[in-house]
Amino acid sequence: MSTPTMNTLTPTAPLAPAAAASPLAGLLGPCLRGAVFVALVTGLAYPLLTTGVAQLVLPRQASGSLIEHGGAVVGSALIGQAFSGAGYFHPRPSATVGPDPQDASKSLAVPYNAGASGGSNQGPTNQGLIDSVTERAAAYRQTNGLAAGAAVPVDAVTASASGLDPHISVANAQAQAARVARSRGLDPAQVQRLLAAHTEPRVLGVLGEPRVHVLRLNMALDAVPAPAGQAPAALK
Amino acid sequence: MGLNLLEFALVLAVMTGLAIAMGRWLAHAFTDPRHWAPERWSYRALGVDPAETMGWARYGLALLLSNAAMMGLGYLVLRLQGWLPLNDLGNAAQAPDLAFNTAASFITNTNWQAYAGESSLSNATQMGAITFLMFCGATAGVAAAGGFVRALARADSQDIGNYWVDFMRMLWRVMLPLCFVMALVYVWQGMPQTLTSQATATTLEGARQQIILGPVASFETIKHIGTNGGGFFSMNAAHPFENPTPLTNLLHILSMLLIPSALTVALGHMLLKRRQGWVFFGAFLIMFVGFLALVYGAEQAGNPLLTQAGADQRLSATQPGGNMEGKEMRFGIADTALFVTTTTAATTGSVNAMHDSLTPLGGFVPLAQMMLNCVFGGDGVGLINLIQYAILTVFLAGMMIGRTPEFLGKKIEAREIKLVMLSVLAHPASILGFTALAMLWPDTGASLANRGPHGFSEVLYAYTSGTANNGSAFAGFNANTPFFNTTIGLAMLAGRYLTLLPMLAVAGSLAAKKTVAVGPGTFPTATPLFMGLLVFVVLVVGGLTFLPALALGPLVEQLQMTAGQLTP
């Protein structure tokens, strides 16, 4: 690694005034070598070392916090997924899109597409946004048996930023609980207990918001044996 | 509400504590006569002499040329993606205009992204081009602040330090160790760190879900500590893998503020004028708290049009309420407001919510902070920008009392003021000039996601973000066209080097001057009065320059929203 440049620059004093004469002298080589050197250190060594240590110490998180059920990967603990069955809690609206299987140059709505995160990016006075919220509110009231014109929790009718939000608000979950219990033929109190168990509190009491993890709650519901004479309606 | 205010107070208190510790460390690193072993290896690899002293011109040239070489290498990696390994999803290389835009974006610490990371970059590119350039841009910025402050501390001297030494010390003593430790904390919280590109899940309802993975944690650390802001995923720090928990959200916020706030403390130590450092810190903080209050108030109050559409936006024990369009449930309103304020104050550009969907006044805040560009500001350049305004302030005060202005014991004369004005004017000239050009460009309409005043805000936001080297976006806007890639790329380069280089010249000019004794006519700059005056000058200069443009965008939209008018 020793370079002749070093030796010519340091000990020989007479060269210094010559170097000072042109501000460019002795800069081009170090700039080019510097780019390669810093690229190797920060773009290769650092991420690879971090990957090695992380995979060794925290392999589950480092590989995406995947949740397995019966030997198959059912999702990631951090990534939301779409639910529409009456026996499941429903997540927030998602604005993610995916390629149209008929015509790959076009895209269509694919909620919770974890291959292409996305928000609606509609501004506050956008007609399209207000129309969507109005439609979602009407659908939400109908699905959950709410009175016409009842105000709906705002997170239930607005698209998240990532389109992959794994959580809903407690208010949103409460509004859905009766419908889920009815659909599964479960005691509402039991659904409430599961809901409480899957409500995550604020971190350290102040950070973030209390929230319900939809995938975990729905998995817990699936784990409850269906009452006698009741078909498992969850997957309808 | 009370809990949210408590959270804000706690975060700012922790930020201040970290600023003190980090500030001392930075001052030590900038002045330590010894070199660490990795630093000596680096000098040898580059073939530079760490004992060489540099005037401002050579220092600036070293910064400029090394950045150019790094940008060129980054461009090359982006263009060669198809031939590089770790590309099992078979992503194609970026087109030349997009690769220029991306390389310019990441070397200037902007991190504007006209591409979607998860669907177009391989893991090799995410590391070898993006992570690499994020280190370069940020480290060069902090190094420049070191040279700048050293120059202010000197008198009768042509020497402002050695760029290579400043760069390597910031890399080895600050960036790399902090990033490595933080990356492991991030993985513990759930961020992926793997060379695998994807996992496939079968959801409970039987759908197939493709989940993109990669070396995310090592990317997120430098992204925030380096006030970079470009996302691994398209939706940036709103994506659960980039920001899985409220704790990572807090760490992102503290990381972004760490170096910009610590540099004020470092300045106090290096100049042996601690009070001066705190005056700058205070000026930053006053503006920050004001803007935070504005965006939090606006987002928590929500959008009356959503209420009419049937949404319940009231804050209660069971929901955060407010305008939740484009926001994540784990962050709610308070953590989002804090993040919005921080990312555009510390010109990071990382987003944990979609700024395009903020209320008009909420969206006004990021725009205004990027226009002022000195509410903490990016790594290194934030402090330099504030000092530019401080020199302007002593100049205006000197005009009022009819004396030659002095700053930190040096006379401020015509040359310094000309250079300061060049820097002050380059910023709005780029923002407003390019915005005006884009408004006349016939194809601009096709790039807009929203019409009316909000559409204008999208364009204004793009050039403000580019020039301020922020990188956040009103992301509905499609900037991946040759016109926008080129002009926003130029705005980023102008915003970076046309403010940084003139200010290095100012520093060099001040370093060469003799110190003048403090006299009865000296206007003291380490006082609350000066702090107030400084904030006033920043707001007046920024306001006079940008209010007409802001009036056409967010302010009109606010009136539109309260009047219940929709844009088709």
Side-chain angles (χ1 to χ4, degrees), chain B residues 395-526:
Chain B
F395 174 69
L396 294 175
M399 299 275 275
M400 284 188 254
I401 55 171
R403 290 188 63 99
T404 308
E406 293 162 20
F407 180 63
L408 303 174
K410 305 286 177 57
K411 280 203 164 68
I412 302 295
E413 292 166 300
R415 174 178 158 80
E416 287 80 42
I417 290 297
K418 280 182 195 160
L419 287 165
V420 163
M421 286 318 293
L422 173 63
S423 163
V424 168
L425 291 174
H427 183 69
S430 168
I431 294 175
L432 300 175
F434 279 122
T435 302
L437 179 66
M439 294 319 289
L440 296 173
W441 190 256
D443 299 336
T444 296
S447 281
L448 300 179
N450 294 274
R451 299 274 148 184
H454 198 88
F456 174 75
S457 297
E458 287 184 345
V459 176
L460 180 65
Y461 198 104
Y463 289 106
T464 307
S465 173
T467 307
N469 297 144
N470 181 279
S472 66
F474 272 13
F477 178 70
N478 171 26
N480 187 15
T481 69
F483 174 77
F484 286 113
N485 277 334
T486 310
T487 51
I488 295 173
L490 292 174
M492 295 189 282
L493 293 171
R496 179 75 164 180
Y497 301 107
L498 286 185
T499 57
L500 189 53
L501 294 177
M503 289 310 291
L504 272 181
V506 169
S509 169
L510 291 179
K513 292 186 185 217
K514 290 190 175 16
T515 308
V516 291
V518 176
T522 304
F523 180 52
T525 57

Side-chain angles (χ1 to χ4, degrees), chain A residues 124-125 130, chain B residues 303-310 313 560-561 564-566:
Chain A
T125 56
I130 306 305
Chain B
N303 180 348
L305 300 170
L306 293 183
T307 304
Q308 285 167 28
Q313 294 181 87
Q560 214 189 350
M561 185 181 81
Q565 278 181 16
L566 294 174

Side-chain angles (χ1 to χ4, degrees), chain A residues 4-194:
Chain A
T5 329
M6 263 293 269
N7 301 334
T8 52
L9 265 178
T10 28
T12 44
L15 272 183
S22 158
L24 269 177
L27 280 185
L28 292 178
C31 286
L32 293 174
R33 284 190 291 272
V36 175
F37 177 79
V38 176
L40 291 177
V41 171
T42 63
L44 203 64
Y46 156 72
L48 290 183
L49 178 70
T50 312
T51 307
V53 175
Q55 286 288 344
L56 204 66
V57 185
L58 300 155
R60 188 180 60 80
Q61 289 100 319
S63 305
S65 307
L66 300 177
I67 299 181
E68 291 195 13
H69 185 70
V73 175
V74 296
S76 163
L78 297 174
I79 304 288
Q81 49 183 251
F83 285 101
S84 54
Y88 283 128
F89 282 89
H90 297 172
R92 297 184 60 192
S94 161
T96 55
V97 295
D100 187 339
Q102 313 294 331
D103 176 2
S105 67
K106 294 203 178 83
S107 59
L108 45 80
V110 180
Y112 289 88
N113 176 5
S117 57
S120 77
N121 278 310
Q122 287 169 320
T125 56
N126 188 318
Q127 178 84 52
L129 170 70
I130 306 305
D131 290 349
S132 303
V133 171
T134 309
E135 282 164 27
R136 290 172 191 148
Y140 188 89
R141 288 186 201 107
Q142 195 182 5
T143 308
N144 296 296
L146 304 184
V152 173
V154 64
D155 67 291
V157 291
T158 49
S160 63
S162 63
L164 306 171
D165 196 338
H167 298 108
I168 54 177
S169 71
V170 178
N172 184 354
Q174 291 289 1
Q176 300 185 44
R179 182 250 306 159
V180 171
R182 203 166 45 243
S183 160
R184 288 181 176 257
L186 291 177
D187 179 6
Q190 190 176 9
V191 173
Q192 285 292 340
R193 274 196 301 278
L194 286 175

Side-chain angles (χ1 to χ4, degrees), chain B residues 53-376:
Chain B
T53 58
M54 295 182 174
W56 77 267
R58 187 165 167 84
Y59 193 101
L61 209 58
L63 183 149
L64 195 65
L65 287 179
S66 68
N67 279 12
M70 288 158 171
M71 178 178 161
L73 185 59
Y75 177 87
L76 219 61
V77 174
L78 289 167
R79 297 282 295 138
L80 295 177
Q81 175 167 276
W83 282 279
L84 294 174
L86 298 180
N87 186 12
D88 29 320
L89 299 181
N91 291 318
Q94 292 190 347
D97 61 310
L98 181 57
F100 160 74
N101 182 282
T102 306
S105 166
F106 280 84
I107 193 64
T108 56
N109 203 225
T110 309
N111 303 27
W112 173 266
Q113 293 170 294
Y115 62 91
E118 69 256 58
S119 53
S120 68
L121 293 190
S122 73
N123 283 341
T125 318
Q126 296 273 25
M127 300 192 302
I130 306 296
T131 306
F132 154 59
L133 286 178
M134 288 204 287
F135 270 97
C136 297
T139 311
V142 191
F148 186 83
V149 173
R150 198 179 293 115
L152 295 180
R154 292 191 172 163
D156 227 353
S157 167
Q158 295 297 329
D159 158 29
I160 73 165
N162 181 308
Y163 174 72
W164 308 115
V165 173
D166 286 344
F167 183 93
M168 287 303 167
R169 286 191 176 180
M170 288 306 108
L171 185 65
W172 288 109
R173 299 190 190 193
V174 179
M175 298 297 180
L176 281 170
L178 267 180
C179 285
F180 179 69
V181 173
M182 190 66 100
L184 295 180
V185 176
Y186 280 167
V187 175
W188 166 59
Q189 283 292 299
M191 276 184 213
Q193 180 68 31
T194 170
L195 299 181
T196 310
S197 299
Q198 61 169 338
T200 308
T202 306
T203 68
L204 292 198
E205 291 196 332
R208 181 180 170 278
Q209 192 179 36
Q210 181 200 25
I211 299 173
I212 300 289
L213 301 168
V216 180
S218 61
F219 184 108
E220 288 301 300
T221 52
I222 185 60
K223 164 179 164 187
H224 290 103
I225 292 169
T227 66
N228 284 292
F232 191 97
F233 297 94
S234 180
M235 290 299 112
N236 209 300
H239 193 292
F241 276 156
E242 288 201 34
N243 199 355
T245 65
L247 183 62
T248 56
N249 194 63
L250 170 75
L251 292 174
H252 285 341
I253 287 169
L254 292 175
S255 296
M256 290 191 258
L257 291 171
L258 178 66
I259 291 177
S261 63
L263 276 170
T264 63
V265 178
L267 171 131
H269 277 267
M270 288 169 74
L271 296 181
L272 304 176
K273 289 181 165 87
R274 305 246 171 121
R275 280 174 60 104
Q276 188 67 59
W278 286 112
V279 162
F280 289 146
F281 182 88
F284 280 152
L285 195 60
I286 291 171
M287 294 188 277
F288 183 89
V289 170
F291 282 119
L292 173 62
L294 196 57
V295 68
Y296 173 67
E299 294 307 306
Q300 188 67 69
N303 180 348
L305 300 170
L306 293 183
T307 304
Q308 285 167 28
D312 178 6
Q313 294 181 87
R314 284 167 305 176
L315 168 67
S316 73
T318 54
Q319 68 159 9
N323 170 28
M324 283 300 288
E325 179 67 27
K327 293 190 181 61
E328 298 282 297
M329 181 47 61
R330 58 197 179 283
F331 308 134
I333 300 296
D335 283 19
T336 301
L338 194 56
F339 202 102
V340 168
T341 314
T342 305
T343 193
T344 47
T347 65
T348 307
S350 167
V351 293
N352 80 343
M354 289 304 107
H355 289 192
D356 219 346
S357 296
L358 293 172
T359 60
L361 279 184
F364 169 90
V365 167
L367 265 170
Q369 289 201 115
M370 294 188 295
M371 286 165 170
L372 300 180
N373 207 12
C374 65
V375 185
F376 288 105

